[in-house]
Amino acid sequence: AYSYRKVLPVLSKDYHAITFDWLGFGFSDKPQPKYGFDYTLDEYVSSLESLIDELGVTKVSLVVQL
């Protein structure tokens, strides 16, 4: 989320924008593999699905950086 600190205000002018840190990146917790999060593609997809479900949104556009 920190890396979007300057982009978020711009996006928020026209969109409902939310940022978050993936587990293991940025300032988020870094659980050990096999103890709650295994850092696989399936784990990240499942986490994103859980976030979307929890937020109760039906339309999502992702803005990402590599």
Side-chain angles (χ1 to χ4, degrees):
Y2 179 78
S3 60
Y4 284 94
R5 69 192 180 285
K6 294 184 179 181
V7 176
L8 189 59
V10 176
L11 291 173
S12 295
K13 290 179 183 176
D14 297 315
Y15 303 97
H16 183 106
I18 299 169
T19 63
F20 59 92
D21 279 334
W22 283 115
L23 282 170
F25 290 86
F27 297 117
S28 69
D29 288 339
K30 294 165 181 59
Q32 295 297 312
K34 306 293 182 201
Y35 293 96
F37 195 78
D38 292 329
Y39 300 94
T40 64
L41 178 59
D42 288 340
E43 290 270 10
Y44 283 109
V45 170
S46 177
S47 293
L48 181 58
E49 289 174 336
S50 294
L51 174 66
I52 292 168
D53 289 345
E54 185 69 27
L55 294 172
V57 295
T58 57
K59 186 176 178 182
V60 176
S61 296
L62 295 176
V63 176
V64 300
Q65 64 185 7
L66 301 174

